[in-house]
Amino acid sequence: MSEFSVNIGCEIHVELSSLHSKLFCRCPITYGAPPNTATCPVCLGFPGVLPVVNEKAIEAVLKVALALNCKINTLTKFDRKNYYYPDLPKGYQISQKYLPIGYDGWLEIEVNGKTKRVGIADVHLEEDTAKSIHGEEAGDPTATLIDFNRSGVPLCEIVTYPDMNSLEELEAFMVSLRQLLLYLGVSECRMERGQLRFEASVSLRPKGSNQLGTRVEIKNLNSFRAVLGAVEAEIKRQREILLSGGKVVQQTMLWNEALKITEPMRTKETAHDYRYFPEPDLVPVVVDEKWLNRLKAEMPELPKQRFERFMHEYELGEYEARLLTAAPVTAGYFEAATKICGDPKAIANWMLGDLQGLLNDAGKGWDECPVPPEHLGEMVKLMREGVISVRIAKELLKEMFTTQKSPRQIVEERGLVQITDEAELRRIIEEVVAANPKAVQEFLSGNEKVLGFFVGQVMRATKGKANPQLANKLVREALEQAKVTSS
Ligand code: ZN
Ligand code: MN
């Protein structure tokens, strides 16, 4: 790779899935609803209907543009992008070409401890198309059916400059952008549902040259893995062409996940002339100071701020703070649980350790965690109060996970309260000591390590309910006693 520098850019379509209705009509935004049930004459593209813009969609894109440090156009308007396709019955898509909501911003990424700004060329609002369902999925290998539920769903399109120079930077950009969008609450960003869609452009230039090479766009990327795989394959393809003295052709490629190669799209589809012109059915939108100031005041805490706050307010390490603020769902969970028990360190450890393990085993994400944060907080509180030991807590958490019961309820039902009664523990220790004369002999001959063995035996006899500190202390006392008696 040393002889070429790589430039990677992205175009991202984000479904504003958190909104209640579509961009130009009042139809709901649905996923998985029966086909063509969330439609009306406007989003079906009937002639003679008029679009009415959803103000909330403009606000959502304004928030994205602000969070991406963009300049904001005080006058923003819509344009028609003309093309013919069965999923676009009007024959044009209402988009923004000349005065997008935001432009010239940046997103900060971090790779190997170094921060870098990826430039954002354009942030605009447009409508989604309907969805084509082909072949077997449509119940007929020769058929294509159209589902208009997606038609007119608001999309925020983000276009970057080709500022990324490696796969690592590309991955960091995708992760950071998704995180930012989740924090803004504009979309659920579920890529498998098409709520977040990436297209990439790749070009190579000789090292040292500052003139960009011919760029190739890649579509059909429905996961981070696909984007990274496709860009890697495309870099390799272009490099081989250039090394053999050939020229890269400017074109659009499709990612073939099965063959791990990029393939040219049919040229007919790449020869675009969209004949953009101002949308005559919609008036331009004035974004005044007052509106912008209100939105700025309404902006949620963003990932970087939350990460820094977690480090100073909860005294978490960088590693823990980063993991916990990776998504608003984990950050919110952490704060809610900590509020109950006042022990941020313990909550962080349980979340990143045992609870994450249980979620992984169950194939669940934090948004479907069966243990509510209040329960985890209560469990840590029970430990702090000395009611349960760590070992019991581990068992308890498993049961909380499967039964969804509160820790207090399980502790009461199963009598898991820790044994802190000295007399009761002494009696158990006496039995353990009597049952292990050999180990007692070892202790008497100076092997202190057998202390741990005895504490372990006490834990086993009490099914982990003995208070560990107390058990330790009483075991030592009992063995010292044995020493006295034997001498
Ligand atoms: Zn509609
Ligand atoms: Mn678009």
Side-chain angles (χ1 to χ4, degrees):
M1 215 37 253
S2 58
E3 59 280 61
F4 296 107
S5 295
V6 182
N7 284 81
I8 306 164
C10 278
E11 271 183 41
I12 306 102
H13 285 90
V14 188
E15 252 187 23
L16 301 175
S17 62
S18 308
L19 296 184
H20 295 296
S21 52
K22 291 186 180 179
L23 186 49
F24 299 120
C25 60
R26 290 172 165 269
C27 291
I29 297 171
T30 56
Y31 180 84
N36 299 309
T37 52
T39 57
C40 72
V42 173
C43 55
L44 288 169
F46 282 20
V49 294
L50 286 173
V52 178
V53 71
N54 178 350
E55 196 179 300
K56 294 278 178 232
I58 296 180
E59 293 198 345
V61 176
L62 275 167
K63 283 184 181 174
V64 174
L66 288 171
L68 289 172
N69 309 289
C70 285
K71 294 175 185 140
I72 305 295
N73 271 317
T74 48
L75 187 73
T76 187
K77 63 185 190 61
F78 293 95
D79 304 291
R80 284 190 183 180
K81 180 180 181 177
N82 299 280
Y83 67 95
Y84 175 79
Y85 206 72
D87 64 13
L88 190 70
K90 293 199 299 290
Y92 58 87
Q93 177 194 31
I94 303 179
S95 179
Q96 297 193 286
K97 169 93 171 158
Y98 301 108
L99 288 170
I101 287 177
Y103 62 100
D104 262 351
W106 45 267
L107 175 65
E108 194 172 270
I109 58 166
E110 201 180 306
V111 175
N112 301 326
K114 278 192 202 143
T115 57
K116 168 173 180 165
R117 286 180 179 182
V118 174
I120 304 292
D122 178 316
V123 176
H124 67 256
L125 180 58
E126 63 184 32
E127 60 179 336
D128 208 347
T129 60
K131 199 177 173 192
S132 306
I133 300 162
H134 302 285
E136 292 300 344
E137 212 190 326
D140 174 354
T142 63
T144 291
L145 303 180
I146 312 278
D147 177 8
F148 283 90
N149 287 351
R150 202 181 71 177
S151 168
V153 166
L155 292 176
C156 173
E157 180 170 339
I158 300 162
V159 184
T160 79
Y161 288 108
D163 286 349
M164 291 162 275
N165 301 115
S166 66
L167 291 173
E168 290 75 21
E169 289 184 7
L170 174 60
E171 182 170 22
F173 174 80
M174 292 192 291
V175 170
S176 300
L177 181 68
R178 181 172 184 275
Q179 182 191 32
L180 188 71
L181 294 166
L182 286 172
Y183 269 72
L184 289 169
V186 295
S187 175
E188 290 150 274
C189 294
R190 294 178 70 156
M191 291 184 81
E192 74 282 9
R193 294 188 172 184
Q195 291 169 344
L196 180 61
R197 319 200 281 261
F198 282 86
E199 289 166 17
S201 70
V202 178
S203 68
L204 264 58
R205 62 191 152 95
K207 267 241 157 89
S209 156
N210 44 27
Q211 190 169 3
L212 290 178
T214 307
R215 68 185 224 138
V216 168
E217 285 175 48
I218 317 165
K219 292 178 188 279
N220 193 29
L221 306 169
N222 44 29
S223 67
F224 283 179
R225 208 185 56 180
V227 178
L228 293 169
V231 169
E232 188 178 13
E234 180 58 24
I235 292 172
K236 195 170 155 243
R237 188 187 72 87
Q238 290 187 24
R239 183 173 174 269
E240 278 162 11
I241 291 174
L242 293 172
L243 283 179
S244 65
K247 268 194 169 148
V248 173
V249 180
Q250 182 171 346
Q251 60 184 337
T252 301
M253 311 282 276
L254 291 177
W255 173 232
N256 185 325
E257 179 102 54
L259 298 178
K260 303 266 175 277
I261 53 166
T262 54
E263 301 169 317
M265 249 171 93
R266 277 169 298 161
T267 43
K268 230 165 117 188
E269 286 180 36
T270 63
H272 283 311
D273 177 9
Y274 292 127
R275 246 182 354 108
Y276 277 101
F277 65 84
E279 166 59 55
D281 288 341
L282 288 164
V283 290
V285 178
V286 176
V287 183
D288 60 17
E289 201 73 4
K290 202 175 141 203
W291 193 10
L292 262 187
N293 285 340
R294 176 170 67 73
L295 288 176
K296 282 178 188 165
E298 280 175 19
M299 287 288 270
E301 189 179 32
L302 296 179
K304 199 180 174 193
Q305 301 160 285
R306 202 161 194 181
F307 164 68
E308 279 162 5
R309 182 167 65 78
F310 270 35
M311 286 203 291
H312 75 247
E313 185 176 331
Y314 300 113
E315 295 177 350
L316 295 176
E318 208 182 305
Y319 175 76
E320 291 148 320
R322 199 172 295 286
L323 285 177
L324 291 170
T325 57
V329 58
T330 43
Y333 190 104
F334 168 82
E335 295 208 274
T338 296
K339 210 169 154 190
I340 304 285
C341 66
D343 191 342
K345 269 260 177 300
I347 293 298
N349 288 340
W350 283 101
M351 280 182 70
L352 301 176
D354 289 55
L355 192 47
Q356 182 68 65
L358 290 168
L359 286 168
N360 291 350
D361 291 346
K364 285 190 155 93
W366 281 95
D367 53 341
E368 30 184 24
C369 180
V371 177
E374 293 74 21
H375 285 181
L376 184 69
E378 204 180 296
M379 187 193 89
V380 169
K381 206 169 157 197
L382 288 171
M383 285 177 63
R384 281 164 70 89
E385 289 165 353
V387 178
I388 56 168
S389 63
V390 185
R391 188 171 142 182
I392 291 291
K394 280 178 178 281
E395 293 307 310
L396 190 58
L397 187 63
K398 280 187 204 156
E399 201 165 329
M400 286 155 61
F401 195 89
T402 46
T403 64
Q404 299 182 34
K405 287 181 184 170
S406 87
R408 234 171 249 283
Q409 189 186 350
I410 300 171
V411 164
E412 274 163 26
E413 280 175 9
R414 300 205 16 217
L416 295 176
V417 176
Q418 178 163 252
I419 303 169
T420 48
D421 178 349
E422 287 204 16
E424 192 182 347
L425 269 185
R426 277 219 176 79
R427 192 178 45 72
I428 295 162
I429 291 168
E430 261 171 45
E431 282 169 22
V432 169
V433 168
N436 294 284
K438 253 177 102 177
V440 175
Q441 279 308 317
E442 275 184 51
F443 180 79
L444 293 181
S445 56
N447 184 0
E448 286 263 323
K449 279 186 188 154
V450 287
L451 257 173
F453 163 77
F454 279 107
V455 174
Q457 291 299 307
V458 172
M459 283 303 182
R460 177 183 279 192
T462 58
K463 297 196 172 72
K465 289 195 289 185
N467 175 303
Q469 288 82 10
L470 188 61
N472 239 306
K473 182 185 136 212
L474 296 181
V475 163
R476 183 175 281 280
E477 277 178 22
L479 292 175
E480 294 293 345
Q481 188 62 37
K483 210 183 247 175
V484 176
T485 355
S486 76
S487 58

